[in-house]
């Protein structure tokens, strides 16, 4: 079956530009996570959705970052007024579980964002 | 240990040799430990989920062990092949869903023919 997909795979933005990154999770998966992986680091948690509800956004680095999942399936991560420090790989993961067990997460290939 | 730490950061191994690397993590509030393999331009692929102290899991030539009391896990690759070249990530899971996974920085493995 289809896995998690993300688009675009690569994005180059000029500093100050707004970007939108899309995640299509596995159909029927309840949980959706966004992670940010900066160069030389491991993925770091940004935000978590259970269906359409954003239950945790504690990892979002600033108020320029905004995520939504309005119908409980596709999610969009938006970054306003991009800065060079936003350059990273943005990973999306989905899980069939609703938080009562360990997180078996299925990852997309990521979007590599480069801010010039 | 406050964070998830992996060592070494990178590793060059001759084809056919066996190798292993380490993941250290805080032992408090432990729920599960995940290992992922991440090849360039692909999605991270789940290798193992380990929950119990003393767990040993195996998939083909790759195996892993878990010590939750001292907070470490080892990943072993027997008879390395070029297709094993990838970044291996471990992640600590504190359960409950909403917290996400806490990842180490990964071990970048290069198999030399």
């Amino acid at each position: 079956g289809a896995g998690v997909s993300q688009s675009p795979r690569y994005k180059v933005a000029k500093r100050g530009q707004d970007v939108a990154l899309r995640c299509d999770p596995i159909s029927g998966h309840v949980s959706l996570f966004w992670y940010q992986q900066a160069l030389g680091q491991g993925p770091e948690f940004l935000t978590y959705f259970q269906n359409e509800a954003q239950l945790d956004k504690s990892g979002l680095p600033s108020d320029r970052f905004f995520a939504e999942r309005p119908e409980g399936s596709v999610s969009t991560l938006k970054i306003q007024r991009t800065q060079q420090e936003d350059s990273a790989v943005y990973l999306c993961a989905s899980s069939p579980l609703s938080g009562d067990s360990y997180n078996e997460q299925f990852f997309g290939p990521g979007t590599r964002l480069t801010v010039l | 240990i406050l964070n998830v730490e992996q060592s070494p950061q990178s590793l060059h191994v001759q084809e056919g040799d066996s190798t292993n690397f380490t993941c250290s993590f805080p032992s408090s509030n432990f729920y599960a430990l995940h290992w992922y393999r991440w090849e360039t331009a692909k999605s991270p692929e789940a290798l193992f989920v380990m929950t119990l102290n003393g767990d040993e899991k195996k998939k083909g030539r790759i195996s892993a062990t878990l010590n939750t009391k001292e907070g470490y896990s080892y990943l072993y690759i027997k008879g390395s092949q070029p297709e094993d070249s990838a970044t291996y990530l471990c992640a600590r899971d504190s359960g409950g869903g909403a917290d996400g996974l806490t990842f180490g920085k990964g071990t970048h493995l290069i198999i030399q023919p």
Side-chain angles (χ1 to χ4, degrees):
Chain A
V4 178
S5 61
Q6 293 186 244
S7 61
R9 293 292 308 275
Y10 303 91
K11 176 69 179 178
V12 178
K14 291 182 180 178
R15 193 174 58 175
Q17 194 176 356
D18 297 349
V19 298
L21 313 180
R22 177 186 169 109
C23 172
D24 284 80
I26 294 172
S27 178
H29 275 197
V30 171
S31 298
L32 186 145
F33 300 81
W34 283 98
Y35 294 87
Q36 179 192 57
Q37 189 198 26
L39 189 64
Q41 303 296 315
E44 292 192 1
F45 170 79
L46 293 177
T47 188
Y48 163 69
F49 289 86
Q50 185 173 314
N51 296 307
E52 70 278 4
Q54 188 175 21
L55 298 187
D56 189 346
K57 53 182 181 179
S58 61
L60 296 177
S62 79
D63 58 8
R64 296 186 295 104
F65 286 71
F66 172 77
E68 60 183 6
R69 193 186 185 199
E71 297 178 0
S73 56
V74 171
S75 177
T76 304
L77 177 67
K78 298 179 179 178
I79 310 173
Q80 296 177 323
R81 305 180 303 281
T82 52
Q83 303 294 314
Q84 285 187 321
E85 62 263 26
D86 300 334
S87 295
V89 174
Y90 290 85
L91 287 166
C92 173
S94 69
S95 170
L97 304 171
S98 58
D100 55 356
S101 180
Y102 62 79
N103 285 302
E104 184 178 13
Q105 297 186 18
F106 298 82
F107 282 83
T111 294
R112 181 177 295 278
L113 172 66
T114 302
V115 181
L116 302 177
Chain B
I1 300 284
L2 296 179
N3 298 311
V4 178
E5 296 174 1
Q6 292 188 247
S7 62
Q9 285 190 0
S10 66
L11 191 54
H12 288 70
V13 174
Q14 207 68 30
E15 182 178 354
D17 288 352
S18 296
T19 187
N20 65 85
F21 27 92
T22 307
C23 172
S24 302
F25 53 88
S27 52
S28 60
N29 286 335
F30 174 85
Y31 199 88
L33 194 283
H34 300 251
W35 281 101
Y36 286 88
R37 174 170 60 200
W38 193 3
E39 295 179 66
T40 303
K42 295 187 178 179
S43 303
E45 172 199 357
L47 290 174
F48 305 112
V49 182
M50 309 177 78
T51 56
L52 298 175
N53 186 44
D55 248 358
E56 289 189 31
K57 298 227 171 170
K58 188 175 180 182
K59 182 187 286 190
R61 295 178 291 99
I62 304 177
S63 60
T65 60
L66 178 69
N67 183 322
T68 60
K69 293 184 178 179
E70 296 183 37
Y72 64 84
S73 175
Y74 294 132
L75 190 82
Y76 301 89
I77 302 178
K78 187 177 178 182
S80 304
Q81 299 297 309
E83 59 265 28
D84 296 330
S85 296
T87 296
Y88 291 81
L89 292 165
C90 71
R92 178 176 168 272
D93 185 346
S94 54
D99 292 340
L101 300 176
T102 303
F103 284 88
K105 294 182 180 181
T107 292
H108 184 52
L109 176 65
I110 298 171
I111 307 300
Q112 296 170 321

